[in-house]
Amino acid sequence: MNAGDRTRMDDGTPGERTIMLVHGMWSGPHVWENFRAYFEASGYRVVTPTLRHHDVAPGAPVNPALATTSLAHYADDLEAGIRALGVRPFVVGHSMGGLLVQMLAARGLARGAALLASAHCAPVFALDPMVAWFFRRAFLTPFWRRTQLPSYDTMRWGALNGLDEEEARRLYATLIPESGRCLAEMAFWYLDRRRAAHVDASKVTCPLLFLTGSEDRLTPASIAWSTADYYGGKARIEFLRGRAHWLPSEPGWEEIAARVERFFRTETPRFQMETGAAEAAPEHFLPIPA
């Protein structure tokens, strides 16, 4: 890493203006096109990793190993990517990506974390009839060893309801199947002996900002509230009136990006000063040995 790559954060501490954007289920880095452009224009270095086995064109056969890929696999890959950067970034996650960001935060790998329409972690219970209806077809099969992609009608109802019809169809055409094992680890975490979705709140040393839409049917407000509450004073939650689940792409995404940037620029440094979290988790890492 060249010395010239370093800049100075607005709070006066040395560091890199680096943001990692983590996509969620069925998706890929393309979901962050708007956010990438926004943060790059604001002077940040933006990293948009592709989750394991998601580097496939829509409609093409997926790697059979995707069916049984675990949340832990995704989190380990993301950790390796962060350590290769050599610096703790700010991290933003959408949907399942929000859960992965919570996992990274508990590993001390984030300066601050923003969670958009985030999935819950264990041990938070997320019993909601809308979520059960969304996954009803998957739950009638041995989904934990298969890939799964809800139908367009289901996605239109529960995840893409904040988009107009044309944009919803365009976005759905970019999606690929997702790991059934990950779904099982999130939905039925209490049956998972490996505790893949478990996050120890006491190990999170950075502030968390939960943003959730009032019309989100896949990760509804009740789940978001319970998840944020699990982290106590480390988390704040804000409800977005009229917004749904696909927050990175819905109309008004600029306001969300601006809110996230303000959280990282002004609120995260204040949290670190008040709690001493900056000293608790070193900013720089050594690269992972080859």
Side-chain angles (χ1 to χ4, degrees), residues 268-283:
T268 297
R270 187 162 62 246
F271 173 91
Q272 292 172 337
M273 291 178 62
E274 292 173 353
T275 64
E279 289 72 28
E283 179 182 336

Side-chain angles (χ1 to χ4, degrees), residues 147-165:
T147 57
Q148 49 84 27
L149 175 61
S151 68
Y152 172 74
D153 288 343
T154 297
M155 289 289 289
R156 183 75 173 107
W157 176 85
L160 305 180
N161 52 311
L163 303 170
D164 63 33
E165 184 67 18

Side-chain angles (χ1 to χ4, degrees), residues 70-71 181 184-186 188-198:
S70 169
L71 291 167
R181 178 176 175 181
E185 289 171 342
M186 290 187 291
F188 302 105
W189 57 261
Y190 41 86
L191 301 177
D192 179 22
R193 289 177 294 179
R194 295 181 177 86
R195 293 159 47 98
H198 183 81

Side-chain angles (χ1 to χ4, degrees), residues 27 51 84 130 133 135 158 169 177 192 200-201 203 216 265 276 278:
S27 191
L51 296 182
M130 288 193 295
W133 190 91
F135 288 110
R169 289 193 177 276
D192 179 22
D200 185 345
K203 294 183 177 179
D216 191 338
R265 176 168 43 85

Side-chain angles (χ1 to χ4, degrees), residues 103-123:
M103 296 166 70
L104 295 176
R107 299 183 186 190
L109 297 168
R111 292 170 63 88
L115 307 111
L116 312 185
S118 178
H120 66 288
C121 65

Side-chain angles (χ1 to χ4, degrees), residues 35 116 211 240 243 247 252-260:
F35 272 57
L116 312 185
L211 298 176
L240 310 175
R243 307 292 174 82
L247 297 178
W253 64 265
E254 300 93 338
E255 298 172 9
I256 297 174
R259 177 67 187 98
V260 170

Side-chain angles (χ1 to χ4, degrees), residues 147-233:
T147 57
Q148 49 84 27
L149 175 61
S151 68
Y152 172 74
D153 288 343
T154 297
M155 289 289 289
R156 183 75 173 107
W157 176 85
L160 305 180
N161 52 311
L163 303 170
D164 63 33
E165 184 67 18
E166 180 180 358
E167 183 61 16
R169 289 193 177 276
R170 187 201 68 79
L171 198 152
Y172 184 80
T174 69
L175 304 183
I176 66 168
E178 185 54 74
S179 164
R181 178 176 175 181
C182 284
L183 175 58
E185 289 171 342
M186 290 187 291
F188 302 105
W189 57 261
Y190 41 86
L191 301 177
D192 179 22
R193 289 177 294 179
R194 295 181 177 86
R195 293 159 47 98
H198 183 81
V199 177
D200 185 345
S202 69
K203 294 183 177 179
V204 175
T205 58
C206 71
L208 311 174
L209 173 64
F210 286 82
L211 298 176
T212 188
S214 64
E215 306 306 309
D216 191 338
R217 297 165 179 162
L218 182 54
T219 55
S222 59
I223 293 177
W225 180 267
S226 296
T227 307
D229 186 62
Y230 172 63
Y231 293 102

